[in-house]
Amino acid sequence: MESNAQSAPVSNKRLWPGRIMSALPVLFLLFDGVIHIMKIPPVVEGFAKLGYSITLAIPLGIIEIVCIMLYVIPRTSVLGAILLTGYLGGAVATNLRTGAPLLSNVLFPVYVGVLLWGGLYLRDNALRAVFPVRR
């Protein structure tokens, strides 16, 4: 049996901002996954600079796209967000390891993760029930 939080419709004042907030990182990560699969020159250069073999580009691109697909499907959106959080954590670790600038490079995946979770929080009653905002 579903709880009221799961079955109650999300209000439009939360749904549309949540969708927009989710769309920004989804579009960015989808683009990123596709260019990994295409192995365009900036990806090849980036992998070399980060110390990764270019043979990892396609598997990473596929993983990224699968995680995004899970995130955009309402029934699996929390799983997708959890998996994307792990993926983005790897990006933070990689940037830290290479000594990249903190605010622009190292924390960029954190900003993406905040948008992913923030958008999901706005559009998912069940998630808000688990993590209520207290006044």
Side-chain angles (χ1 to χ4, degrees), residues 2-83:
E2 291 188 47
S3 72
N4 288 341
Q6 292 174 338
S7 59
V10 178
S11 72
N12 279 340
K13 70 178 186 177
R14 284 195 174 130
L15 181 63
W16 283 102
R19 285 178 176 169
I20 292 167
M21 198 171 177
S22 294
L24 297 172
V26 164
L27 293 172
F28 169 75
L29 292 171
L30 187 59
F31 169 77
D32 189 56
V34 168
I35 66 171
H36 276 74
I37 291 169
M38 294 172 58
K39 292 193 212 177
I40 64 172
V43 170
V44 175
E45 294 165 14
F47 269 61
K49 181 180 173 188
L50 295 171
Y52 288 121
S53 167
I54 193 61
T55 60
L56 296 173
I58 292 175
L60 285 174
I62 292 169
I63 290 168
E64 193 170 9
I65 291 169
V66 168
C67 291
I68 285 293
M69 289 171 41
L70 289 170
Y71 178 78
V72 299
I73 298 169
R75 293 184 80 104
T76 59
S77 59
V78 173
L79 174 62
I82 292 168
L83 294 174

Side-chain angles (χ1 to χ4, degrees), residues 77-97:
S77 59
V78 173
L79 174 62
I82 292 168
L83 294 174
L84 285 166
T85 301
Y87 185 88
L88 294 169
V92 169
T94 296
N95 283 309
L96 278 171
R97 184 181 55 80

Side-chain angles (χ1 to χ4, degrees), residues 85-130:
T85 301
Y87 185 88
L88 294 169
V92 169
T94 296
N95 283 309
L96 278 171
R97 184 181 55 80
T98 62
L102 180 67
L103 294 176
S104 61
N105 292 48
V106 174
L107 291 179
F108 184 77
V110 174
Y111 308 147
V112 173
V114 167
L115 288 172
L116 283 168
W117 280 103
L120 184 56
Y121 188 83
L122 289 174
R123 59 189 173 87
D124 189 315
N125 286 331
L127 187 60
R128 281 195 309 282
V130 174

